[in-house]
Amino acid sequence: MEKNMTEETAAQTDASTPIMTARGVDVFYGKKQAIKNVSLDIPENQITALIGPSGCGKSTFLRCFNRMNDTIDSCRVTGDIQFAGQDIYAPKVDVVALRSRIGMVFQKANPFPKSIFDNVAYGPKIHGLSKSKDHLEDIVITSLRRAGLYDEVSDRLDEPGTSLSGGQQQRLCIARAIAVDPQIILMDEPCSALDPIATAIIENLMDSMKEKYTIVIVTHSMQQAARVSQQTAFFHLGELVESGETESIFTNPEQERTQNYISGRIG
Amino acid sequence: MPDYILTTSPQMAKRHARHSRFQWYGRLAIAISISFMLLMFTAIFARGTGAFQKTMIAVDVEFTESVIDPKGTRVEMDLKQGNYKPLILSGLQQVVTGATERKDRNRLYKLVSGGAVFDLGERVAAKPDMIGTTQRVWIAASSEVDLYIKGKVDPESDEAVRRLKDQDIAWVKLLQEDGRVKRKFNRVFFTSGDSRAPEMAGILSAALGSFFSLLVCFLIAFPLGILTAVYLEEYAKKNRLTNLIEVNINNLAAVPSIVFGLLGLAVFLNFFNLPRSTPLVGGMVLALMTLPTIIIASRSILRSIPQTTRDAAMGLGASKTQTTFHHVVPLAMPGMLTGTILGMARALGETAPLLMIGMVAFIVDVPKGVTDVATSLPVQIFLWADSPEKGFVELTSAAIMVLLVFLILMNLFAVYLRRRLERRW
Amino acid sequence: MSDSRDFTLRRSNRRNQIKEYAIQAVLMACSFVAIFTTIGIVASLAFEAYRFFGRIPLADFLFGLEWSPQTAMRADQVGASGKFGVLPLLSGTLLISFIAMCVATPLGILSAVYLAEFARPKTRNIIKPMLELLAGIPTVVYGFFAALVVAPIIRSMGSGAGFQISSESALAAGLVMGIMLVPFISSLSDDVINAVPQALRDASYGMGATETETITKVVLPAATPGIIGSLLLAVSRAIGETMIVVMAAGLAANLTANPFEAVTTMTVQIVTLLTGDQEFDSAKTLAAFAIALFLLVLTLGLNIVALRIVDKYKRKYA
């Protein structure tokens, strides 16, 4: 199994070692199959975009990476997904540990009804990451800085997170995810509810974040995928149609379906 | 690549342990509530089932004409009120031969129900031929004997604290040896009204009082409730008046039930001089009390009916009223009826407001209409629970069982209606 | 097209028009019954209470430490020697309600959390109807059980532990009332917990929080206003509850915080004052209306505050 995989990965990647690999992943909701036999590599410290028309299963696939699908009773995942060489669906794997390594930012900004500070401090607190109050404060401020939000909120950290604007709320959610110090951040259409200016800020932020984190982003906007990502995977009807470097996917797709989608004929 | 450990660390194990502990707290909380309920049901069933049977004693009664009807007129009234006590007593004395002293005779006679003489009177009046013959008649035992036969009196306990003395128990044993004691279905419990003697008390008058009260309650609350709901959902414009009505309904739903009783007392009884202690007033009070429930339930049903139904009718040129009453209300009717029945089930169990309007009297006669003095099942339970006589504990529990059966039937009927008539859209 | 077709858009039929208005008027009249009921309640209580305060000063009623209406039994004694201080009744009511809430709050909220977050649909479908059954049991049944079973158990447990517990203790009534309130609190809290958006739970799970951490640190704090609202509604119920206390709490107006003593409540006194055979105009019977007015103000006040909180909460997540 392992040998087989190294061969495959070697065949697919060129730029960087994959931190995550998916092999033959199927996802079922009850009897309905949402993802069919998908294999994909996520290279480290890059941004991978999952694109495709709505309902193509890209979000479902994203949620497999930190086992968020576990929270849905009828959902069943088969196949092999590895994080740093470990099968994340193995029985001995603790989802708590997994999700502290692989954070997530959701489509609609969902700050807790707590203060800005407590929102960011939530993760470090539950995982026991801070040794002292000062340390916790350090973590919160660093995370807010990395999310590019600190300058805007430094004087009102005890105001509720819900009082921020939409774009700020989404960056707060990013800061909240960063605070746990994950290796990978999954983003599920993080800008779909935001205006173009807020979107641009977040796109810039992602670009600077990839130095430290690996990012997988689901987006329905091809322009966004083209702007921010290095790798792109195109999904259609639950299948992975094509994946590779963003530039080649957009300029020179191999598959006709990809071509049709990019030129706007399906979607 | 660094080694990212995904297995459970000791710290995580603690967190998972906290989680499973917390889950157990939830299970425990539910278990406490439900076992309390089961304990309550068991306690009531254990005490109440006995009441559905009563103890009878066979007595050979010599229907002597000179005692029953010395003038030989055979007038029904006289036969009913004849002096049967010495006849019963001498019948008992045939078995219990030792009881000849006055004091003993009185104690012996107390083994049978005080109602036995009326029972014999009825029988003789129905069949005057019996006079002059000797017949074995089964008559009701007293409540104390009944409890003893059912094993609820401990003969080993201190004689001073029980009503049935050792002597009495010995006599009962004599009767038992002679095959003169048996238990049979307690028909009296279902066919008569209240009584001071537990062995003669029944729930019929209370049950009918409840029935008449609920009837009045339904006749008032159902039309008023659904029409109000229809007005608020289909007609009313959003203005201050509508808002006032809505606030009123919500607040009325939270007014303690006893306050509705005081309303009934002050307005219906003292101001309008309606007859006190009657199902009419009881039903009116219960109606006002259930009204908010019915309105709130009916409104949510009306709201669930899709706008397309109304649009379709309006589009054909139907007026507002035609749309509402030909299309919307019929669709909502099953749901509104269900809500009403559930509201009435609550009203059936209500006690406090009825106490306020005097439906708490000692009612022997069976009420025949809404203006007869009556009580209700829960009030009867309250009255019996308050009685010092031990025999009433059994009756109280049995009456609770009957009340619960009615409540369950009403709830099942509501569920049935909903399943049967509810339309899916 | 023939000329006979009528294209007028005028209101052609006056009779239909009148019918529409008439029906609307009838419907409107029906909805006024709720207003009349409220007016009736407030007016009758206020009128009788006003007459009562003509005999007993309002301050004596509100701040009096003693309640013994029995001494004013004879007509010529009215107002002279009866003691109508409501505080012992209020303290008794609050003591029993407090005991009830001590039982009902943890049980109700934990049950709701379990049903809303942990229980599988199958389990939920069994347990929910059972709790509803608990809610449907008439209070007279609870009262009977409290007096017949719970009070003797508590008393014998007390004497086993070496201290005296009155046979009609606040504890017995409070415990049973607490169980009565469990389904009430759990179903309201269940609604409130379910109204917390799934997105908040996802955010918490997405960071690696366990279910319990998500519930205690995210869901419950978010639901707190709604839960407080439902607890206030439950308190309002406990204060207005009559039959359990009539049957299990007793008549002794003790100003005490000791749960093992017998206390009386406002509702018990209303029942006692009005179920005897006395003339309607005595200070004793009028006092019942004064207590009821006090009770109404208390429960309605609680209720209005509670509904405000719940409303505000619902709008937040609407």
Side-chain angles (χ1 to χ4, degrees):
Chain A
M1 183 73 193
E2 201 164 299
K3 187 169 161 266
N4 177 23
M5 218 192 63
T6 30
E7 276 168 16
E8 278 183 58
T9 42
Q12 280 196 6
T13 51
D14 34 322
S16 163
T17 26
I19 188 165
M20 270 204 111
T21 56
R23 290 293 170 270
V25 174
D26 292 312
V27 181
F28 299 86
Y29 287 114
K31 281 183 180 156
K32 194 177 157 281
Q33 187 164 8
I35 293 289
K36 292 167 196 153
N37 192 27
V38 170
S39 298
L40 183 69
D41 288 348
I42 308 294
E44 200 170 7
N45 290 45
Q46 290 196 10
I47 299 178
T48 304
L50 311 183
I51 62 168
S54 60
C56 66
K58 53 194 191 297
S59 285
T60 302
F61 184 62
L62 183 77
R63 290 165 69 96
C64 293
F65 284 149
N66 69 345
R67 293 181 52 177
M68 276 305 278
N69 286 329
D70 287 16
T71 59
I72 302 164
D73 284 337
S74 64
C75 186
R76 199 159 48 83
V77 179
T78 62
D80 181 76
I81 301 178
Q82 301 220 353
F83 167 70
Q86 305 170 75
D87 177 4
I88 65 167
Y89 280 89
K92 65 179 198 318
V93 166
D94 194 325
V95 283
V96 168
L98 177 73
R99 290 176 190 158
S100 68
R101 304 278 181 214
I102 305 176
M104 188 157 193
V105 175
F106 297 84
Q107 185 169 359
K108 198 169 164 283
N110 51 2
F112 299 131
K114 299 169 184 276
S115 72
I116 294 171
F117 185 92
D118 285 339
N119 258 285
V120 183
Y122 177 74
K125 269 189 197 157
I126 58 168
H127 292 301
L129 297 179
S130 63
K131 293 170 200 82
S132 64
K133 243 187 122 182
D134 287 348
H135 186 211
L136 182 65
E137 215 161 289
D138 268 3
I139 296 177
V140 170
I141 291 170
T142 316
S143 307
L144 284 169
R145 280 229 167 84
R146 289 204 180 124
L149 189 62
Y150 185 67
D151 295 339
E152 291 162 58
V153 299
S154 60
D155 54 340
R156 46 178 176 143
L157 290 179
D158 49 358
E159 279 180 30
T162 42
S163 66
L164 298 173
S165 73
Q168 288 174 323
Q169 285 192 13
Q170 195 60 293
R171 277 180 284 151
L172 178 63
C173 292
I174 292 172
R176 188 174 63 183
I178 290 174
V180 191
D181 196 26
Q183 275 70 49
I184 301 180
I185 297 174
L186 308 175
M187 296 188 173
D188 189 356
E189 304 201 22
C191 302
S192 64
L194 302 181
D195 60 71
I197 296 170
T199 304
I201 295 175
I202 289 189
E203 285 179 4
N204 286 334
L205 173 65
M206 287 167 67
D207 202 52
S208 64
M209 280 166 64
K210 73 170 192 287
E211 311 255 309
K212 195 164 168 15
Y213 307 101
T214 305
I215 295 175
V216 185
I217 177 173
V218 161
T219 175
H220 62 271
S221 151
M222 282 175 297
Q223 292 82 349
Q224 186 170 56
R227 282 194 300 266
V228 299
S229 71
Q230 287 78 54
Q231 302 285 324
T232 296
F234 170 58
F235 284 76
H236 189 222
L237 301 175
E239 289 170 43
L240 176 63
V241 178
E242 191 172 351
S243 68
E245 294 207 9
T246 302
E247 218 178 288
S248 62
I249 293 264
F250 276 89
T251 52
N252 190 17
E254 289 172 12
Q255 302 282 328
E256 200 190 331
R257 274 199 280 176
T258 318
Q259 174 69 48
N260 286 344
Y261 181 67
I262 288 167
S263 60
R265 255 172 278 172
I266 54 172
Chain B
M1 190 182 288
D3 190 20
Y4 300 123
I5 298 162
L6 293 183
T7 49
T8 311
S9 70
Q11 190 228 354
M12 273 173 222
K14 261 189 214 156
R15 287 165 65 191
H16 289 307
R18 215 175 299 145
H19 171 61
S20 67
R21 247 191 337 267
F22 188 67
Q23 249 183 319
W24 277 108
Y25 294 152
R27 292 197 186 105
L28 187 68
I30 290 172
I32 289 174
S33 309
I34 287 177
S35 44
F36 178 93
M37 180 171 73
L38 294 181
L39 178 69
M40 188 154 87
F41 283 161
T42 331
I44 287 167
F45 274 45
R47 285 175 175 79
T49 41
F52 297 110
Q53 283 197 321
K54 70 193 255 182
T55 306
M56 306 297 282
I57 296 176
V59 183
D60 295 326
V61 179
E62 193 188 337
F63 291 97
T64 321
E65 182 168 14
S66 59
V67 179
I68 303 167
D69 190 18
K71 294 184 202 120
T73 54
R74 298 291 191 269
V75 178
E76 198 185 332
M77 223 34 221
D78 291 345
L79 293 180
K80 274 189 183 170
Q81 288 169 355
N83 183 13
Y84 294 99
K85 184 176 166 181
L87 304 182
I88 295 173
L89 190 57
S90 59
L92 287 170
Q93 278 172 321
Q94 287 168 23
V95 186
V96 183
T97 45
T100 47
E101 298 232 351
R102 194 185 139 88
K103 195 178 68 151
D104 286 342
R105 287 207 310 265
N106 279 339
R107 287 215 67 83
L108 181 59
Y109 182 68
K110 287 235 170 82
L111 295 185
V112 299
S113 162
V117 285
F118 305 112
D119 184 30
L120 284 189
E122 296 278 342
R123 291 188 202 204
V124 172
K127 246 166 78 182
D129 310 351
M130 280 160 80
I131 294 172
T133 64
T134 299
Q135 305 220 353
R136 176 166 285 204
V137 190
W138 286 96
I139 55 184
S142 71
S143 175
E144 282 77 30
V145 172
D146 186 50
L147 288 173
Y148 168 73
I149 296 293
K150 285 167 182 164
K152 288 181 181 167
V153 176
D154 178 13
E156 303 299 316
S157 66
D158 184 7
E159 194 180 0
V161 299
R162 57 183 143 91
R163 286 203 179 179
L164 206 62
K165 306 297 176 193
D166 291 343
Q167 177 73 80
D168 303 327
I169 293 175
W171 289 339
V172 172
K173 280 186 174 148
L174 275 179
L175 288 165
Q176 270 181 306
E177 281 159 20
D178 209 24
R180 289 170 180 271
V181 177
K182 74 168 182 189
R183 283 157 72 176
K184 66 158 208 170
F185 176 65
N186 186 1
R187 226 176 43 137
V188 171
F189 181 67
F190 294 99
T191 54
S192 60
D194 199 3
S195 166
R196 299 277 181 225
E199 76 276 7
M200 282 152 51
I203 53 162
L204 183 66
S205 56
L208 279 174
S210 276
F211 171 76
F212 287 126
S213 300
L214 283 189
L215 188 70
V216 173
C217 172
F218 179 80
L219 292 178
I220 297 173
F222 182 61
L224 269 182
I226 62 166
L227 292 180
T228 303
V230 165
Y231 175 74
L232 290 176
E233 280 303 314
E234 307 289 328
Y235 286 85
K237 296 180 185 69
K238 274 238 162 286
N239 56 24
R240 286 179 63 185
L241 181 68
T242 311
N243 196 33
L244 179 73
I245 295 172
E246 284 180 352
V247 167
N248 257 301
I249 291 168
N250 285 336
N251 284 337
L252 279 181
V255 169
S257 62
I258 191 169
V259 172
F260 282 95
L262 287 168
L263 170 78
L265 173 60
V267 175
F268 297 150
L269 296 187
N270 290 335
F271 191 75
F272 289 114
N273 279 318
L274 292 173
R276 197 178 145 84
S277 310
T278 54
L280 176 67
V281 178
M284 287 164 74
V285 168
L286 292 178
L288 293 183
M289 218 189 71
T290 21
L291 202 51
T293 320
I294 296 177
I295 295 173
I296 291 169
S298 301
R299 287 187 69 180
S300 78
I301 300 290
L302 286 171
R303 228 171 289 148
S304 74
I305 289 179
Q307 186 59 33
T308 48
T309 309
R310 298 179 185 91
D311 293 345
M314 295 284 226
L316 293 171
S319 72
K320 181 93 206 158
T321 304
Q322 285 166 334
T323 308
T324 304
F325 287 94
H326 294 176
H327 299 275
V328 179
V329 171
L331 282 177
M333 198 47 104
M336 297 198 288
L337 209 54
T338 307
T340 307
I341 292 168
L342 292 178
M344 304 258 296
R346 282 223 86 98
L348 173 59
E350 205 46 74
T351 321
L354 301 183
L355 298 182
M356 297 293 94
I357 54 150
M359 285 183 80
V360 62
F362 174 71
I363 310 288
V364 179
D365 296 325
V366 173
K368 292 189 181 59
V370 295
T371 51
D372 283 355
V373 170
T375 172
S376 81
L377 265 181
V379 175
Q380 187 72 72
I381 289 167
F382 169 63
L383 286 172
W384 281 348
D386 234 17
S387 305
E389 297 227 27
K390 220 181 154 197
F392 278 117
V393 171
E394 199 180 70
L395 289 182
T396 314
S397 308
I400 288 176
M401 287 163 70
V402 172
L403 177 64
L404 290 178
V405 165
F406 279 131
L407 284 176
I408 290 170
L409 284 181
M410 284 175 84
N411 277 286
L412 287 181
F413 182 56
V415 171
Y416 167 80
L417 260 187
R418 193 158 47 193
R419 293 251 167 93
R420 181 75 197 277
L421 301 173
E422 198 170 65
R423 246 181 253 203
R424 299 247 149 252
W425 37 65
Chain C
M1 284 287 154
S2 76
D3 288 353
S4 65
R5 285 191 64 174
D6 181 10
F7 288 102
T8 52
L9 295 174
R10 269 186 305 111
R11 292 184 164 152
S12 53
N13 194 334
R14 270 189 70 85
R15 271 180 61 192
N16 277 347
Q17 199 57 35
I18 291 168
K19 215 171 105 192
E20 288 280 317
Y21 282 132
I23 286 172
Q24 197 166 334
V26 169
L27 292 179
M28 203 165 168
C30 286
S31 71
F32 283 173
V33 170
I35 295 182
F36 290 143
T37 309
T38 310
I39 293 174
I41 288 174
V42 173
S44 57
L45 295 189
F47 179 66
E48 307 292 351
Y50 175 76
R51 286 169 62 193
F52 172 74
F53 292 125
R55 299 169 199 207
I56 312 288
L58 178 62
D60 287 8
F61 176 74
L62 286 181
F63 307 114
L65 296 177
E66 241 185 286
W67 175 266
S68 52
Q70 314 310 333
T71 48
M73 198 98 92
R74 293 212 323 269
D76 55 332
Q77 281 181 315
V78 163
S81 47
K83 297 244 169 50
F84 291 96
V86 81
L87 286 182
L89 310 188
L90 183 64
S91 80
T93 306
L94 293 181
L95 176 62
I96 290 179
S97 305
F98 177 74
I99 297 169
M101 292 307 289
C102 284
V103 175
T105 306
L107 290 184
I109 292 178
L110 282 172
S111 305
V113 165
Y114 187 81
L115 287 177
E117 303 281 332
F118 299 141
R120 271 183 238 138
K122 237 186 188 171
T123 324
R124 201 180 146 87
N125 287 345
I126 298 170
I127 292 177
K128 268 209 121 178
M130 285 180 88
L131 287 180
E132 275 164 24
L133 186 64
L134 198 58
I137 296 172
T139 53
V140 69
V141 179
Y142 282 102
F144 176 66
F145 185 68
L148 192 77
V149 179
V150 180
I153 290 177
I154 288 177
R155 196 166 51 153
S156 67
M157 267 162 53
S159 59
F163 53 101
Q164 198 67 41
I165 295 179
S166 151
S167 66
E168 291 178 322
S169 64
L171 192 59
L175 284 180
V176 173
M177 195 190 282
I179 298 287
M180 182 197 85
L181 292 175
V182 168
F184 187 72
I185 293 178
S186 83
S187 87
L188 285 173
S189 304
D190 194 2
D191 292 347
V192 168
I193 290 171
N194 278 324
V196 173
Q198 183 62 31
L200 290 184
R201 294 185 181 85
D202 283 350
S204 177
Y205 292 140
M207 307 183 68
T210 64
E211 275 180 88
T212 294
E213 285 157 357
T214 303
I215 288 155
T216 54
K217 300 205 167 92
V218 175
V219 177
L220 285 182
T224 300
I227 290 176
I228 288 177
S230 64
L231 291 182
L232 286 183
L233 287 177
V235 172
S236 149
R237 258 214 163 176
I239 290 175
E241 168 49 38
T242 308
M243 293 320 292
I244 295 178
V245 280
V246 165
M247 295 170 86
L251 292 168
N254 293 322
L255 192 60
T256 175
N258 179 357
F260 303 122
E261 266 189 68
V263 295
T264 193
T265 71
M266 298 192 273
T267 49
V268 171
Q269 288 306 317
I270 296 174
V271 170
T272 322
L273 292 174
L274 289 180
T275 46
D277 295 316
Q278 65 272 82
E279 80 268 48
F280 192 66
D281 277 343
S282 77
K284 263 182 74 180
T285 50
L286 293 179
F289 285 89
I291 304 171
L293 186 63
F294 193 67
L295 182 70
L296 184 73
V297 170
L298 212 58
T299 49
L300 271 193
L302 272 174
N303 205 60
I304 289 169
V305 172
L307 285 182
R308 278 259 166 88
I309 295 175
V310 173
D311 236 37
K312 217 167 151 192
Y313 165 79
K314 272 191 186 152
R315 232 173 289 144
K316 191 165 151 196
Y317 292 121

